[in-house]
Amino acid sequence: MWHQREIRLRPRPRGFHLVTREVAEAVPELGELRVGLAHVHILHTSASLTLNENASPDVRDDFEAWFDRAVPEGAPY
């Protein structure tokens, strides 16, 4: 089975956001699969994608705290 879709995620502010539900709703065929491979290409210069189990909400908090120190909002560079 092969599916290709272009989807647009709703705009979000800076931060770490869960997009699983939005992607699953846009590609309902995913619900039919037990095993597969997904290629996700993000067409935005300042966006990135991380995959993790998200077992704890602290994961996103840790990522955000680290990036806020490493790349502060409004940095002059």
Side-chain angles (χ1 to χ4, degrees):
M1 179 186 317
W2 174 273
H3 291 284
Q4 180 173 337
R5 289 274 164 44
E6 179 176 324
I7 65 173
R8 293 181 184 268
L9 301 177
R10 63 180 171 78
R12 292 170 169 81
R14 174 185 165 122
F16 289 82
H17 309 281
L18 298 177
V19 297
T20 305
R21 180 174 293 141
E22 204 169 340
V23 171
E25 288 172 357
V27 188
E29 296 86 358
L30 291 174
E32 301 169 17
L33 303 175
R34 293 183 52 138
V35 176
L37 177 66
H39 294 271
V40 179
H41 183 77
I42 300 175
L43 301 174
H44 195 284
T45 57
S46 63
S48 62
L49 180 68
T50 64
L51 301 174
N52 56 55
E53 62 180 304
N54 201 37
S56 167
D58 295 335
V59 172
R60 282 183 288 143
D61 293 339
D62 290 346
F63 275 140
E64 192 154 5
W66 189 90
F67 274 91
D68 283 346
R69 285 189 306 275
V71 188
E73 183 78 32
Y77 48 81

